[in-house]
Each structure stands twice: as structure tokens, then as C-alpha cells.
Amino acid sequence: MKILVCISNVPDTTTKIKFTADGKQFDATGVQWIINPWDELALTRALELKEASNGLIDNVTVINVGPKDTEITIRKGLAVGADNAVRIDGNPTDAYAVASELAKYIETHPFDLILTGIESSDYNGNAVGGMLAELLNMPHISAVSGIELKDGKYEVIREIDGGKQILTVPTPFVAVVQKGIAKEPRIASMRGVMAARTKPFETVAAAGIAPQTEYIHFELPQPKGKCKMIPADQIDELINVLRQEIKAF
Amino acid sequence: MNFELTEEQKLIQEAARDFAEREALLDVIERDEKAEYPTKHVQRMKELGFLGMTVDPKYDGGGMDSLSYVLALEELSKHDSSLAVIMSVHNSLVCWGLEHLANEDQKERFLKPLARAEKIGAFLLSEPEAGSDATHQKTTAEDMGDYYLINGIKNWITSANSADIYLVIAQTNPELKHKGINAFIVDRHSEGITLGPHENKMGMRSSDTHSVMFTNVKVPKENRIGENGFGFKFAMKCLEVGRIGIAAQALGIAEGAYMRALKYAKERKAFGTEIANHQAIAFKLADMAVKIETAKLLLYKAATLKDAHQPIALIGAMAKRYCADIAMEITTEAVQIHGGYGYVKEYHVERLFREAKLTQIYEGTSEIQKIVISRAILSDN
């Protein structure tokens, strides 16, 4: 059995966000790039499943749609334990284009389980996984917080209001995973980094799927207002501020 | 000149950063306070391959270059120098010394388990009366025919209790002075080895430092490194490489203090604005940034030259001297920027300040580095 983990290359979560002067693009100057945290957890779970499968899962592949400079992020996937990597050589212009590029590759390279993070930490689109399943005509389960392999079948766990939902689904399928899928992302070991030198790394030409959306303008949120401290014993003053200044009621 | 790190170097830097931030940092204050050995973190360093990372894969090491090693030590030292010194002694002094100066049989028996981190190494040179002046070794290694008999005391030994393999420097032939000194590979559990109490250190308190007493310790002849009388040269060569490791540690300490001071200065308000807006503080931060950048260039150059198999005695001494001294200056200023908060443990800078001091002292004091540097530049001209 084979698992594919789709990874996005995103700015480090501590990055100070800036946009180009026309407000149409993210300004990537000096930005540190990382594997999207949800994708990294998906990869961690994929590796755990493989290791516990007694050879039933024999391959974990990482895939990314991006230009050459995303290779270091993909290489990290290999360093933490993925068996091989694929980069679809194109710009991830929007969710539809990314999902379509991934679908084109998967059509000719079948996998039993396809994992995507629930969203990427940059644009928070929450769209690629669902679109990918639709384009591939596969079942799709969203907001997955656990996956187990039991008697050769995947069992999927979703957090629902007040409890858990446990499902089975025929393979191949797309699981869109969220927090809880794995405990902590893995740290690459030196042996992992060394092994990543020689693991298969395939670059595939993009099909050139046009995006369906266009960014008109980005705006930064308004700076936070000043914090006003009110002593704990001045309840009247607190009510006055809430009523007069904030107009809370 | 290429100032860009390779993909692999960036991955190693990131791995060390993740380990330091996500694991080592969590209990660093508590371990420092209790002077508790970081057993579980050393185990993780073994798993992640930081111990033995530069050793050639043919001897079961990680095969990483010196710059990667420096980057890893630097990241670790931003948060936990005790772990960094365990890593530095194991790699720079013990593994490097055996890989480059021991014979094939010794590499097979001792280097391989060290490179796999199944065993931890310690380096025993300093003595109660021989620190900077390492030529006056009082520990003796008497030639008994097919073995040596070691007697004496070694001081300030990092990993003395946790190590399995000791590299011991001892005098065999006092009339030949430093040319009579030998280096030996000694099983730490040999009969006749006893440890002094855990040293109650000012900083790096989570590393395990003891004095080690040798009483008629038998060491097989085949455990001597190199020809008879090679020991002093062996120790000096190891220390030459070790300087880069300690410089990396000092740089990491400086950066750890700087990044905390920068954050604090942007948050803490006084006289109606963040203290970073006061020139007195802004200029301190500017000076820190310049020193860190300078130290980094010097140290990375030293590591790059080592990887290119160029001589590093001079540049390594410069890097060690500069990084250690700026670590002391920067940690001092970081405490000052934090004011009262800098004087309590929660903000980390007081610990970094205590840790910085040791980088000016061990593996060649700043003054010894100046001797090395001045002799080199004066002999050139």
C-alpha cells in the first residue's frame, strides 16, 4: 500500500506578514519557509502508519506543487522519513490549480491513501483536499483527527460535537487532516538528512492549469487598539467603558 | 565568496533548532538549578545523530561537514549550553582525535561505538596544577612492558561520570618534558578510577563535571595513541579543532541572549514607550547585532576552511577568542536591558550570562588564544 502526502511550502509561522506595494502579492523577502504544519503532522502520521504496518504500507511519498526553491522544504520530508518526493514544477497560483496539478499526477501514479492538511497556514484556503478528491472521483473525509490501519483497512476518526466519529472508507480516498492526527512533527535526524541525499526526487513538468481566482488586493488587519487597564475594584468604571466607549450593550 | 548555506546545512540547522526549542528548552531552567544531567536529552541527541555527526560514515558516523556541526552547536547553545558542551567534547575532541590520529584497530574498537553514540567520550587533559600550561602534566603513565600504569588526578572533566571512553593525557618520560607525554584510550570503568564529587559550577550546570583520580590503572599498550611521546601533540591538535566547537557554543549563547533582549526591548515600556525606542537601549542592540554578525563571519570562515582542509590554527583561535568574548559582552548587556527581570531565572539571560563566562575559560582561555594568535602573526612577519 502506498500513501501520498501533499505538502505546501509556507512562511514560518512567526513571519511578519508584508505585501508588495500594489497589495496584490505577499512580499517574500527574507522569509523562512517551512512545511505547512498540518501537512507536517499528516506526514508524521503517514510514517507512523507505515512503521507499524509490518510492511503492508511500503511507501510514503511527498508531493508539492512549487518552483525550484521549494525543494528544501520537500527534502525535509525525505529527511524525516518519506521514501520519495515529487515536485510539480509550477507556481501554486490557487487551490484549483494546485488540486488539478496534483490530480494529473495521481491519475497516472495511483496511491491508496492521499493525505492533505486541512489548510495551509499562509492563505488558509481549506480547499485543495476536497477539490482533489472531486477531480479524482474519490471519497473524501474532512477534519480527520486520527487514522488507524486495522486488518488491512483504514479506520478514520473525526472529532464531532461532544464525541468522536469512527468511519471506514474504501481505498483509494483523500483524508483531509487536522490537529490531533499526530502528536508532534518529527525532527530530522542526521542519518535522515544523509539518506535524503540519495532518495528518489522526481521533478515533473506542470500541466499548466490556469487558476480560477485572481487576487485583487490584500489588506493587513487594523492594528490592535490600546489596552486599557481598569483596577479590579472599579466595576462602575468598567461598565461605563463597556457601555460608552465600546458600546458592548 | 558564497555566503549561502547548502540545503543540507539548512536542514541540519533546522533540526538542531527544533530539538533545542521543542525539547531541551522545556526543562533547561530546572536542570540548571538542580545541576541535573540531561539523560533523556542525551538519548535524543544519540537518536538524532548529533553525537558522532562529523565522523566518516565508514566509521559509522554521520559524515557531516564542520559548518553543519557548527550550525547545530550554535542552535543548541541558544537554549542549552550544557547539552552543547557534551556534544562538543564528544565530537570535537574525542571522535575527531580518534578518527584522525588513532590507528585502524583503535578506530574499529573505540571510534565506531562513539560515532554510533552507543558510548560517550571524555577528554582528560587538565589537572589541578596544569590548566593553560598543559606541558606540566603530573599524571604519570609508567611503561610496564606490555601495559602502562596510570596514576594522578585530572580536573574539570566534562562527562566524567556519563562517559564510557576516556582519552587520557599523561607523562611517561618526565625528562623529555612535553615530548614525554602520551595519550591513552581508557575504559572509564577500569579498576583504580574514582571520581570526585560533581563540581558545583557557576554555569553549564546540567553537564556532568568531575575530577578523576587514577590509582594504578592498567592500560594495555595497544591503547596508546600514536608513537611514544605523541600525547602532547595529540592534545594540542584536538584542542585546535575543539576551538571551533566552543566558538560555536559561545556564538549561540550570544545569539540566545540577543534575541531575548530584542524581544524584551520591543515589549517592555518605560517613559511612555517601548524601551527599544530609547537610544540607550537601541544602541546596545545595534552593537550586539554587529558583534554577532562579525563573530558569525569569522567562525563560519574557520569551519569552511576546515572543510577545505586548510590550516585553522590561527583562524580557529581568532574565532574562539572573539566569539567567547562577545558572548560575555552580549549576555552582560542582555541582562542590563532586562533590568530586574534579567536577574531572575525565568528570562534565561542570567543563565546565558553565567554560561558565557565558561567559554572564555575552557578549551584554551581567551588569553591563551591571544598567545596563539600573536605568535602566529609575529612569526609570519
Side-chain angles (χ1 to χ4, degrees), chain A residues 228-248:
Chain A
K228 187 167 186 173
M229 303 298 287
I230 300 167
D233 57 353
Q234 293 180 17
I235 304 296
D236 290 347
E237 170 67 4
L238 173 65
I239 290 169
N240 189 40
V241 168
L242 288 172
R243 187 172 283 157
Q244 302 299 328
E245 292 181 29
I246 300 173
K247 301 194 192 306

Side-chain angles (χ1 to χ4, degrees), chain A:
Chain A
M1 294 168 82
K2 294 168 78 175
I3 303 178
L4 180 70
V5 183
C6 307
I7 59 175
S8 294
N9 181 49
V10 299
D12 185 280
T13 47
T14 57
T15 306
K16 198 168 179 189
I17 303 299
K18 288 178 288 180
F19 295 101
T20 51
D22 61 3
K24 286 193 171 185
Q25 273 188 327
F26 169 62
D27 181 357
T29 319
V31 167
Q32 290 272 352
W33 297 88
I34 59 167
I35 301 181
N36 175 38
W38 286 279
D39 302 340
E40 201 175 10
L41 289 174
L43 174 58
T44 304
R45 187 62 195 142
L47 297 169
E48 288 167 358
L49 285 167
K50 184 190 162 197
E51 285 158 9
S53 74
N54 285 326
L56 196 58
I57 299 168
D58 57 1
N59 177 279
V60 173
T61 297
V62 286
I63 191 165
N64 166 263
V65 180
K68 190 164 171 41
D69 54 15
T70 66
E71 281 188 2
I72 181 166
T73 303
I74 308 170
R75 183 87 57 192
K76 186 185 170 191
L78 293 175
V80 295
D83 300 293
N84 51 316
V86 181
R87 180 174 67 84
I88 300 177
D89 188 20
N91 282 318
T93 42
D94 74 355
Y96 175 77
V98 170
S100 303
E101 294 288 356
L102 291 171
K104 288 264 177 218
Y105 180 84
I106 297 165
E107 275 166 8
T108 53
H109 300 80
F111 291 87
D112 304 281
L113 171 61
I114 297 159
L115 298 175
T116 71
I118 194 157
E119 60 184 354
S120 60
S121 61
D122 46 8
Y123 297 99
N124 307 92
N126 198 345
V128 170
M131 284 185 188
L132 180 60
E134 180 66 24
L135 290 164
L136 290 166
N137 198 24
M138 276 184 196
H140 145 243
I141 306 178
S142 191
V144 171
S145 59
I147 301 179
E148 301 291 340
L149 186 64
K150 286 192 177 165
D151 303 324
K153 283 186 177 171
Y154 286 110
E155 205 171 84
V156 175
I157 302 153
R158 296 180 74 240
E159 304 277 339
I160 54 169
D161 200 12
K164 280 181 184 174
Q165 188 181 47
I166 299 164
L167 311 133
T168 57
V169 59
T171 51
F173 71 100
V174 177
V176 176
V177 306
Q178 64 168 1
K179 221 174 141 189
I181 187 76
K183 228 171 154 187
E184 274 272 344
R186 290 194 176 183
I187 298 172
S189 72
M190 298 305 105
R191 284 179 203 284
V193 172
M194 193 160 66
R197 289 176 190 167
T198 50
K199 285 182 177 174
F201 195 127
E202 188 187 357
T203 305
V204 182
I209 313 280
Q212 299 286 301
T213 52
E214 185 191 349
Y215 293 111
I216 309 292
H217 195 70
F218 287 103
E219 276 179 23
L220 287 168
Q222 291 298 316
K224 280 183 192 163
K226 283 190 176 167
C227 178
K228 187 167 186 173
M229 303 298 287
I230 300 167
D233 57 353
Q234 293 180 17
I235 304 296
D236 290 347
E237 170 67 4
L238 173 65
I239 290 169
N240 189 40
V241 168
L242 288 172
R243 187 172 283 157
Q244 302 299 328
E245 292 181 29
I246 300 173
K247 301 194 192 306
F249 47 89

Side-chain angles (χ1 to χ4, degrees), chain B residues 15-293:
Chain B
R17 185 182 306 142
D18 286 347
F19 168 64
E21 286 177 0
R22 285 201 233 143
E23 300 184 23
L25 181 61
L26 303 184
D27 62 348
V28 67
I29 292 175
E30 195 185 333
R31 277 186 286 113
D32 174 74
E33 205 161 337
K34 293 182 182 164
E36 188 180 295
Y37 185 73
T39 309
K40 73 171 183 198
H41 299 303
V42 171
Q43 180 56 34
R44 281 291 283 151
M45 291 208 297
K46 289 180 186 178
E47 289 164 13
L48 292 170
F50 290 124
L51 302 171
M53 67 182 280
T54 58
V55 176
D56 190 318
K58 77 177 176 191
Y59 299 114
D60 298 343
M64 300 300 172
D65 61 11
S66 299
L67 186 51
S68 299
Y69 170 58
V70 158
L71 293 166
L73 271 176
E74 182 187 341
E75 289 303 320
L76 199 50
S77 304
K78 288 179 186 175
H79 303 292
D80 190 346
S81 280
S82 296
L83 279 175
V85 70
I86 294 166
M87 177 170 155
S88 177
V89 169
H90 182 85
N91 287 302
S92 295
L93 301 180
V94 181
C95 287
W96 187 89
L98 290 176
E99 183 177 4
H100 294 91
L101 302 166
N103 62 37
E104 284 304 317
D105 169 60
Q106 291 166 340
K107 289 182 199 179
E108 192 63 39
R109 288 191 294 141
F110 302 108
L111 176 60
K112 282 188 171 180
L114 286 162
R116 291 192 297 266
E118 291 162 8
K119 295 194 169 174
I120 299 289
F123 190 81
L124 291 78
L125 171 66
S126 291
E127 297 188 352
E129 292 173 64
S132 290
D133 182 4
T135 56
H136 287 91
Q137 293 284 309
K138 291 236 168 102
T139 299
T140 56
E142 198 181 340
D143 189 341
M144 305 298 284
D146 50 355
Y147 64 91
Y148 285 91
L149 205 57
I150 300 188
N151 280 286
I153 302 174
K154 292 289 173 182
N155 243 21
W156 320 126
I157 305 307
T158 301
S159 301
N161 190 38
S162 49
D164 310 282
I165 294 174
Y166 284 174
L167 297 190
V168 182
I169 312 298
Q171 180 59 269
T172 299
N173 227 328
E175 62 275 19
L176 294 178
K177 295 183 179 168
H178 69 279
K179 288 182 179 167
I181 291 172
N182 276 311
F184 302 94
I185 307 164
V186 180
D187 178 348
R188 175 249 182 280
H189 302 289
S190 307
E191 202 177 323
I193 293 180
T194 47
L195 300 191
H198 186 290
E199 298 289 354
N200 191 8
K201 303 194 297 286
M202 177 197 220
M204 305 205 198
R205 292 171 51 79
S206 178
S207 84
D208 140 39
T209 313
H210 298 256
S211 56
V212 181
M213 269 81 64
F214 292 81
T215 313
N216 294 327
V217 176
K218 278 186 181 179
V219 178
K221 208 132 204 195
E222 60 268 24
N223 284 18
R224 189 189 72 208
I225 299 170
E227 294 298 308
N228 191 19
F230 179 64
F232 185 73
K233 214 170 184 178
F234 172 80
M236 291 305 111
K237 279 185 178 289
C238 293
L239 289 175
E240 190 177 301
V241 175
R243 282 174 202 146
I244 293 184
I246 301 304
Q249 189 191 29
L251 174 61
I253 293 170
E255 287 175 288
Y258 166 71
M259 69 191 197
R260 287 174 171 96
L262 190 66
K263 182 170 182 285
Y264 183 81
K266 289 202 276 190
E267 289 168 359
R268 169 74 179 186
K269 286 184 181 171
F271 305 105
T273 185
E274 288 79 13
I275 60 170
N277 293 329
H278 298 303
Q279 201 177 64
I281 302 297
F283 277 16
K284 282 187 198 298
L285 292 166
D287 285 341
M288 287 176 168
V290 173
K291 285 173 185 171
I292 285 171
E293 199 59 29

